[in-house]
Amino acid sequence: MATSTTAPAAVAPPVREPRSRTRRGTRSNPLGWIFSAPYLVFIAVVFAYPLGFAVYMSFHDYFFTAPGVTVPKPFIGLENYTAALVDPAVRQSFVNVAVFLVINVPLTVVVSLVLASLLDRVAHARAFLRVTFYLPYLTSSVAIVGVWLFLFSSGGIVNRVLGPLAPDPSWLVNERWAMPSIALFVTWKGLGFYILLYLAGLQNVSKDLYEAAATDGASRWQSFVNVTVPALRPATVLVLILSIITGANLFTEPYLLTGGGGPNGASSSPVLVMYQNGIQQGQPGYAAAIGVLLVIGTLILSYLSNRFAGGRDR
């Protein structure tokens, strides 16, 4: 009896797609680069080049000269940074901006989040209230400073209301209260912008989450803490980073409210010290070193905010 043997089926070798086809999915779209080019040029001209030039200036004994005049600007290494780190005025300005951020950033996040949640529930006059909160942000700081000086002067409304509890000397000429007063001013002025950011984030929060929380017996406060706050975490990270950047660039308010960082440098900021050294005293290299230190500190704080407030474990 004959037995038949079946040969094993041959396995076809894998078919390799052409190299051009396999890379088509990872190849960038040139049309996207064309549309992105204007913004990339803007970033390069307005941000990248000035930052790179500031770094270059910080390592040289740099100073401005008249057009057509060329003088040597020798490389001095870290001398500008060393001088900035031991300068009492520079260190005081960084301490001042730290005090500002400790007051301004938590107030900005908490107050704008609470007001945005309340405005989102308002049925009537919603547009009017949003515009009311947004107006101080749109108004020039120079125009509002006069009103703020009137409110917080020694004979202003705030001191009249507080009576014997008002500080002496008054708020903006008091070494202890000058920077907290500026922090309150900046917080009040910028609330409208951050409220709009949170309102935009609230539009993406599903109403089903609130209905589920109400079904489980959660109160409004519990729904706010367990539903609203976690859902608005991306907006909170954005508010944190923007408020940190705003505080790091503090210049107009101390310059106008306290006459240039007074009293005795209690309200000076790094940007104000940069202006005084770079423009008024003609030391742009030294001012650039202060600016680079400020950029590094701002990047570190922004990274920490993005990592911990954003819920990133690694």
Side-chain angles (χ1 to χ4, degrees):
M1 189 174 173
T3 60
S4 61
T5 59
T6 305
V11 179
V15 179
R16 294 184 178 181
E17 296 183 357
R19 184 178 299 270
S20 59
R21 182 178 301 177
T22 57
R23 291 186 176 181
R24 184 177 300 174
T26 59
R27 187 178 300 172
S28 59
N29 189 353
L31 188 61
W33 285 104
I34 293 174
F35 284 113
S36 302
Y39 183 72
L40 294 176
V41 171
F42 172 79
I43 293 294
V45 173
V46 178
F47 293 101
Y49 174 75
L51 180 59
F53 188 61
V55 174
Y56 169 81
M57 291 170 56
S58 67
F59 288 103
H60 291 77
D61 186 13
Y62 199 94
F63 51 91
F64 297 120
T65 58
V69 178
T70 303
V71 294
K73 303 176 177 66
F75 176 82
I76 58 175
L78 298 176
E79 289 186 16
N80 285 327
Y81 292 94
T82 304
L85 292 174
V86 299
D87 189 346
V90 175
R91 290 189 293 182
Q92 180 63 42
S93 68
F94 276 91
V95 171
N96 292 338
V97 83
V99 173
F100 175 90
L101 293 175
V102 168
I103 298 173
N104 171 260
V105 174
L107 273 179
T108 298
V109 173
V110 173
V111 177
S112 58
L113 175 58
V114 172
L115 290 177
S117 300
L118 295 176
L119 284 176
D120 192 56
R121 297 176 180 271
V122 173
H124 303 286
R126 178 181 298 180
F128 171 77
L129 292 174
R130 291 182 179 181
V131 172
T132 302
F133 281 110
Y134 197 61
L135 273 179
Y137 178 77
L138 294 177
T139 308
S140 173
S141 295
V142 179
I144 303 179
V145 160
V147 178
W148 201 262
L149 288 172
F150 172 75
L151 291 174
F152 285 86
S153 62
S154 57
I157 298 176
V158 176
N159 284 358
R160 292 180 183 178
V161 172
L162 293 178
L165 299 177
D168 186 25
S170 190
W171 305 90
L172 295 172
V173 293
N174 191 306
E175 293 186 14
R176 181 179 180 183
W177 291 104
M179 185 54 72
S181 301
I182 294 174
L184 290 176
F185 171 78
V186 176
T187 302
W188 167 77
K189 189 177 185 303
L191 274 180
F193 174 71
Y194 299 113
I195 288 174
L196 288 183
L197 292 181
Y198 274 123
L199 284 173
L202 285 170
Q203 309 308 311
N204 297 323
V205 181
S206 176
K207 302 302 180 183
D208 296 337
L209 298 176
Y210 294 103
E211 295 176 359
T215 303
D216 293 337
S219 62
R220 284 191 175 183
W221 171 251
Q222 291 173 331
S223 297
F224 175 78
V225 172
N226 298 309
V227 177
T228 304
V229 174
L232 291 179
R233 177 175 288 178
T236 300
V237 173
L238 179 60
V239 171
L240 281 172
I241 294 177
L242 290 179
S243 56
I244 289 172
I245 294 174
T246 301
N249 288 277
L250 189 67
F251 173 80
T252 304
E253 290 76 12
Y255 184 78
L256 296 177
L257 287 172
T258 62
N264 297 325
S267 63
S268 63
S269 65
V271 177
L272 183 57
V273 174
M274 289 169 56
Y275 167 76
Q276 293 170 345
N277 285 275
I279 304 300
Q280 295 180 342
Q281 300 179 16
Q283 298 177 337
Y286 182 65
I290 301 174
V292 173
L293 294 174
L294 181 63
V295 169
I296 293 173
T298 304
L299 291 175
I300 292 174
L301 291 177
S302 300
Y303 169 76
L304 294 176
S305 300
N306 188 30
R307 178 171 181 178
F308 293 107
R312 297 186 178 183
D313 298 329
R314 58 184 183 274

